[in-house]
Amino acid sequence: VYNTPSLSSGINAEYGDVKYLKGIRTTYEKIQGDHTRTLQRKEIASIDECREKRFVCTSPTPPPPNKPGVHVISEYDLEAVIPLIDWKPFFDVWQLRGRYPNRSYPKIFNDKTVGEQAQKLFDEAQEMLHQLVRTLKGRAVFGVFPARSDGDDVIITGDDGVVRTCYMLRQQVKSGKDEVYVGTADFISPDGDDHMGMFSCSVFGSVAMATEYEKNDDVYNGLMVKSLADRLVEAMAEHLHLEVRRDIWGYNAAESLSADQMHSIQYQGTRPAPGYPSLPDHGLKDVLWDILNVDTSIGCKLTDSYAMEPPPSVCGLYIAHPDSYYFNLGPVGRDQVVNYANRQGVSQLAAEQALDTVLGYEPDQQQ
């Protein structure tokens, strides 16, 4: 609400001015009140009821992988992923959006207002892109492992034989008469005959290249490098998932979807990522890093706040079940958070901090 320059100038101009500081406090109290009222409008079912009404898969469990275990690609062919680039987020970064029916790529080029500018940007991006794929380095590590669901969690066994738990959550917002409350673990069989995949991929070299441009006051090309590196790593994730479906796991060897069809998620299975709508707890990355040995395998690091270094990096899970789908977890209740904390052996406060984006209640400030 208050950006740093305006806040600083206000304090400098009116240092000690109670009225100015009170105005800031009033604004944030209003924001908190709006948030609380939004939560109150969401009716949360008990976690016990949600578990009774869990999603049940009816299709057969996917076959075991053709090539189980960990695989490392130390030099990914970035040229090969270009056809799988989703250009819509690229234009979003540059704040270019056409009006309906020309909102997204490639129709954005037809837009009367931004079409010419979008075409010029795209042409320059193509020139830069073909330089980047010869300069930047792509690396990936991935694998498919024995897994079984255990309530709301997934138990997975790595190549090292160590059994680890992927702690997960379940929907709790009431939605209607025939409510189903889905959790990611619902897509994994509890019978011990199933598998789950994990992956991490990164593009190296873009940070130094962008920094060099910025040192020379070339902000435009600095942003171009960053935005294209982000597109490349996302296309890598798409390309890698395709190879897993067709070959490594091989549950859909005959798949022949176009890039647009893949972007609209017409493939079998899902690729959920920690921190995204169905898996809000970034702490799941710890399990992924342990099983794939990501640090050593490809050199991608996790910061204390679970950010990935280098920034153009993507990680996530592979779920193959034909009944699986992407979903938004939504707000969760206190009862589930307490149970989630107990399963992990952490405090309720720690769990609430990890799940702050999906709490369906106001946490106790006295904890």
Side-chain angles (χ1 to χ4, degrees):
V1 176
Y2 287 90
N3 61 44
T4 304
S6 64
L7 179 59
S8 301
S9 61
I11 292 176
N12 289 337
E14 305 181 48
Y15 186 76
D17 190 322
V18 176
K19 183 178 179 181
Y20 180 78
L21 297 176
K22 186 178 180 180
I24 297 175
R25 184 179 210 176
T26 300
T27 299
Y28 277 96
E29 285 176 348
K30 181 180 183 302
I31 292 171
Q32 184 178 26
D34 291 343
H35 176 64
T36 301
R37 283 188 290 275
T38 298
L39 294 180
Q40 290 171 344
R41 288 195 292 268
K42 301 280 189 182
E43 189 175 359
I44 306 291
S46 73
I47 188 58
D48 290 338
E49 178 185 350
C50 295
R51 286 169 178 159
E52 289 175 2
K53 298 178 179 179
R54 64 190 304 242
F55 178 82
V56 178
C57 293
T58 57
S59 300
T61 298
N66 292 333
K67 302 173 183 177
V70 176
H71 304 266
V72 178
I73 302 176
S74 55
E75 291 191 21
Y76 212 103
D77 182 2
L78 295 181
E79 192 84 40
V81 313
I82 290 178
L84 295 183
I85 289 178
D86 182 357
W87 288 101
K88 181 187 179 300
F90 174 80
F91 290 110
D92 290 343
V93 167
W94 291 89
Q95 299 183 2
L96 288 176
R97 188 181 183 189
R99 291 189 174 186
Y100 181 84
N102 300 315
R103 285 179 181 165
S104 299
Y105 172 85
K107 291 183 178 180
I108 190 173
F109 301 138
N110 301 324
D111 188 77
K112 293 181 180 179
T113 304
V114 303
E116 185 177 345
Q117 186 180 358
Q119 184 68 66
K120 181 176 183 294
L121 177 69
F122 183 74
D123 291 342
E124 292 173 352
Q126 297 306 299
E127 185 177 345
M128 172 73 80
L129 182 62
H130 289 285
Q131 295 177 28
L132 293 182
V133 295
R134 294 191 298 268
T135 306
L136 305 181
K137 302 297 181 185
R139 299 175 195 157
V141 56
F142 58 100
V144 182
F145 310 95
R148 62 177 176 84
S149 62
D150 179 21
D152 294 342
D153 303 324
V154 174
I155 310 300
I156 189 167
T157 305
D159 277 2
D160 55 6
V162 176
V163 177
R164 298 173 176 85
T165 302
C166 299
Y167 295 100
M168 296 175 177
L169 296 157
R170 180 171 301 283
Q171 289 176 328
Q172 281 190 272
V173 175
K174 291 192 173 184
S175 57
K177 182 180 178 181
D178 299 320
E179 291 142 339
V180 173
Y181 302 93
V182 68
T184 301
D186 294 345
F187 305 133
I188 305 295
S189 169
D191 299 330
D193 58 348
D194 208 346
H195 293 75
M196 186 171 75
M198 294 181 165
F199 77 96
S200 180
C201 55
S202 302
V203 169
F204 293 82
S206 65
V207 174
M209 187 180 293
T211 301
E212 193 61 32
Y213 277 120
E214 291 163 355
K215 282 181 181 177
N216 296 317
D217 296 324
D218 190 346
V219 177
Y220 176 83
N221 276 315
L223 180 57
M224 181 68 82
V225 169
K226 291 176 183 178
S227 55
L228 288 176
D230 286 343
R231 291 300 85 221
L232 279 172
V233 77
E234 292 287 353
M236 272 180 67
E238 197 75 76
H239 187 270
L240 188 61
H241 193 191
L242 174 63
E243 292 304 307
V244 167
R245 296 192 300 271
R246 292 200 301 200
D247 180 32
I248 304 299
W249 200 327
Y251 62 84
N252 202 349
E255 180 183 318
S256 59
L257 299 177
S258 68
D260 286 344
Q261 288 172 319
M262 282 186 268
H263 295 158
S264 59
I265 317 169
Q266 294 183 33
Y267 50 77
Q268 178 182 321
T270 60
R271 189 176 69 238
Y276 278 68
S278 62
L279 300 171
D281 189 349
H282 285 271
L284 181 57
K285 293 175 184 175
D286 283 332
V287 180
L288 196 150
W289 250 246
D290 282 347
I291 288 181
L292 297 178
N293 198 12
V294 178
D295 285 29
T296 304
S297 298
I298 63 171
C300 179
K301 310 294 183 183
L302 281 181
T303 68
D304 291 342
S305 59
Y306 291 107
M308 299 170 68
E309 296 288 349
S313 297
V314 179
C315 71
L317 309 178
Y318 293 136
I319 295 173
H321 203 286
D323 295 347
S324 64
Y325 59 92
Y326 291 98
F327 66 93
N328 184 10
L329 181 71
V332 296
R334 191 187 302 270
D335 57 347
Q336 179 167 198
V337 174
V338 170
N339 182 263
Y340 184 74
N342 291 340
R343 299 201 313 266
Q344 295 187 71
V346 301
S347 69
Q348 181 180 336
L349 176 60
E352 288 174 338
Q353 290 171 339
L355 303 175
D356 64 335
T357 60
V358 294
L359 293 182
Y361 62 94
E362 288 295 330
D364 185 355
Q365 301 300 321
Q366 302 304 313
Q367 291 184 70

